[in-house]
Amino acid sequence: MKKINTSPISGTQELLPETQVLFDKLKTGVAERYRAHGFLNIETPMLERTEVLLAKVGGDTEKQIYKVAKTNETMEDATEALRFDHTVPLARYIVEHESDLTFPLKVSQMGENFRGERAQRGRFREFYQCDVDIIARNELPLFYDADVISTLLDAFSSFGLKTPVLARISNRKILKGLIEGLNLQEKAADIYSIIDHSEKVPAEKTAAAFDEIGLNPDEKAKILEFMEISGEAAAVAEKIKALGVKNSLMDEGLSELTGVAENLTAGGYDNFIADMRIVRGLDYYTGTVFEFILPEYKDIGSVCGGGRYENLAEYFTDQKFPGVGGSIGLNRLFFVLNEKKLLKDVEEKPVDYAVVPISDKENAYAVKMANEMREKGATVTVVAGDKKLGDKMKYASKLAKNAIVIGDAEVASGKYRIKEFN
Amino acid sequence: MKKINTSPISGTQELLPETQVLFDKLKTGVAERYRAHGFLNIETPMLERTEVLLAKVGGDTEKQIYKVAKTNETMEDATEALRFDHTVPLARYIVEHESDLTFPLKVSQMGENFRGERAQRGRFREFYQCDVDIIARNELPLFYDADVISTLLDAFSSFGLKTPVLARISNRKILKGLIEGLNLQEKAADIYSIIDHSEKVPAEKTAAAFDEIGLNPDEKAKILEFMEISGEAAAVAEKIKALGVKNSLMDEGLSELTGVAENLTAGGYDNFIADMRIVRGLDYYTGTVFEFILPEYKDIGSVCGGGRYENLAEYFTDQKFPGVGGSIGLNRLFFVLNEKKLLKDVEEKPVDYAVVPISDKENAYAVKMANEMREKGATVTVVAGDKKLGDKMKYASKLAKNAIVIGDAEVASGKYRIKEFN
């Protein structure tokens, strides 16, 4: 009988061993692809000074921060808190260690972050995030935007999903320039927000929202037309120019977008499009922005996102560190992939061989044999104990692909038979 | 100029990328060896219900627990806290999922734990712990004690340390039986504690402590003699029997100790001894106990420890789950190994090849080439941008083992030269 509630708390991931294997494979795949692209891994602590985490954030994120305190302390004593993303700790890391780092720094971070969000199906309060960022001093060539996107696309390839993935790419300068060209700067924040939410609401609601913020029919038509533009980057650039709005920032954004697309094509990628609906929040990002989706499962929404930022660490230092980065939220991704059965069929048993001594007399021989097999790279478990052989074999069949029974005869002859389980 | 204190908080690990590589290698080595021995990996959340964490602990550990609360909550609201070890969450996990698990369950857990200890050099408040445990229903064969110890010894082998490691093994039944045989049950807790601390204080102090708790000269002499006994298990058993104390529990412990030693020898291990000074705390452990040391660096103390327990989850369920397990604290271990320069000399640069386009014209070619090399398993970074070639090569030489410069000629001919950096 249970004496206490033993369920894991809501908003956390807890898997059975056979499912954990699948999750661990995603992790390994991401780490391996990040490394292949030359990213150096770092780990910052999960515990941070509260003032570091609060230097920049406000609003919802601030309310979601988990402060920590010992049992005998009060919340007012809580000068430390759990990180809510990898970006703020990375900014602190760069400023702290800048004299020991080589720039541009291609850096990956993998680990848990924490947010006190309302618990919901597939929403996590403790979540494993896999980030890549490329940070420079003062200036970072456009080249690296495609470097980040292609690394993330490769990470998704490593999952061997049963459904394609698509990168939707835009550039914040395009919409900002369009808004400037239309002389709508004062309504910029509203326009960003309406476009950002447009995929979650019916089209009429988006149109009505533009009316509400006071766009005239011409302006509204232009923005609505703009939002619908997507496809191959050069064609997208043509369509946007055809809107008839002249603006140099817009042109700069279009030129950057086309450049990113060219570099991706050069790398052999074809699973990306230019898509003007991609905005990604309000501030922070200043150039390239992107989100990945699974086009056959649009309801899942974005499974990866990121972009270019002018200044990573402005709250911590006067120095300028521009960068480009992106992040995969592995728990939510795993949750939806698993639920929709989109993961590779790897129903493999975790152990290659179970060595089964018939009695304790054969334990020593079995142990020696197991270690020899491990040295050759096999995963081996020894099933000892005084249970009946049948019971031991039943146990072995649940875990292992093969069994080797060791009795008197096997010890004497040094010969054995490998029994394959189905 | 810095605007804020950007150092990581005390008692956490933060490494430069080139040092992080070494730490990550330890992690990978442990995970790989745990898997080779047939352990299934699981991850429990770092956040747990406070009542789960407090079900068992008391004293210092309770005071060290970090509770978490959102900014707008008070500490009284804090129903959740950060795990302080892997054992309590494992107990909860076993009880929660027992009907879906196959016993004996060989299980590994790797991840961060948190304790509000006073910060000290080489002491961590956020620390990465690598555990293996084997859990059964009702009864677990002695065989598995050696299975755990050999797995941990193999994990240490994977580090390729420049100094040997030694497992010191005892069995709690031996000392418990001796104490019973001497009729000193009422002083048992004190005796355990004095022996447990005896390596950290001068010998006179230990002797004096036995006087203080009222041992007579005979009893004191026996215990002091007992404590000094170490070496090959069978010889140790003889010496203990020669103390002339008769007790069946003691005999049981000696027989188990000898059995563990035999299984380790069968597996090809010789870096272990029986050592009566190993006690490991007061309760919880009930049979085999062990600690690993680096004999050439005794001042480091224990670098791994564990043992056999009768009942993993007694605070959560009426069912009996005996087990045996052990744990490596990777941050502290890495700290001392790094400080004493005992890690393998792997000063390798993290990137195999830097592909360096002379100008942006060659970017596309460089990207294509890099991806082809990655498909063959290489770690490749592309060094783009409009800096001088000399600057780009200097950057490449810091990160990569080799560089490939791509200019007009290379693009035209498809031929290139690999420059090896020293």
Side-chain angles (χ1 to χ4, degrees), chain A residues 83-90 109-113 129 131:
Chain A
R83 67 180 181 203
F84 57 87
D85 72 5
H86 284 313
T87 307
V88 178
L90 176 62
Q109 295 176 89
M110 302 191 46
E112 278 82 359
N113 293 315
Q129 210 70 21
D131 284 37

Side-chain angles (χ1 to χ4, degrees), chain B residues 146-273:
Chain B
D147 203 5
V148 160
I149 296 171
S150 60
T151 303
L152 293 164
L153 282 172
D154 276 5
F156 273 83
S157 300
S158 79
F159 302 156
L161 301 185
K162 294 188 206 159
T163 188
V165 62
L166 180 74
R168 303 167 73 193
I169 307 172
S170 185
N171 189 302
R172 292 286 297 259
K173 293 176 186 171
I174 304 173
L175 180 55
K176 197 171 177 213
L178 181 77
I179 289 171
E180 274 178 28
L182 292 171
N183 237 318
L184 292 170
Q185 286 91 322
E186 282 173 20
K187 291 167 182 160
D190 286 330
I191 295 171
Y192 285 133
S193 169
I194 294 168
I195 299 180
D196 199 28
H197 288 90
S198 65
E199 289 184 297
K200 290 171 194 148
V201 298
E204 315 86 73
K205 241 185 154 170
T206 301
F210 285 131
D211 292 335
E212 270 165 42
I213 63 165
L215 299 197
N216 70 37
D218 255 17
E219 293 161 348
K220 179 175 139 185
K222 281 258 190 285
I223 303 270
L224 282 172
E225 199 180 337
F226 169 83
M227 281 170 51
E228 296 296 328
I229 298 173
S230 73
E232 190 264 318
V236 162
E238 285 314 308
K239 282 186 195 164
I240 290 170
K241 283 176 188 160
L243 292 174
V245 178
K246 291 245 173 290
N247 178 278
S248 63
L249 187 66
M250 188 180 89
D251 291 343
E252 196 181 314
L254 289 172
S255 153
E256 288 183 9
L257 179 65
T258 318
V260 170
E262 279 167 8
N263 277 327
L264 285 173
T265 304
Y269 302 92
D270 58 6
N271 51 344
F272 68 91
I273 56 166

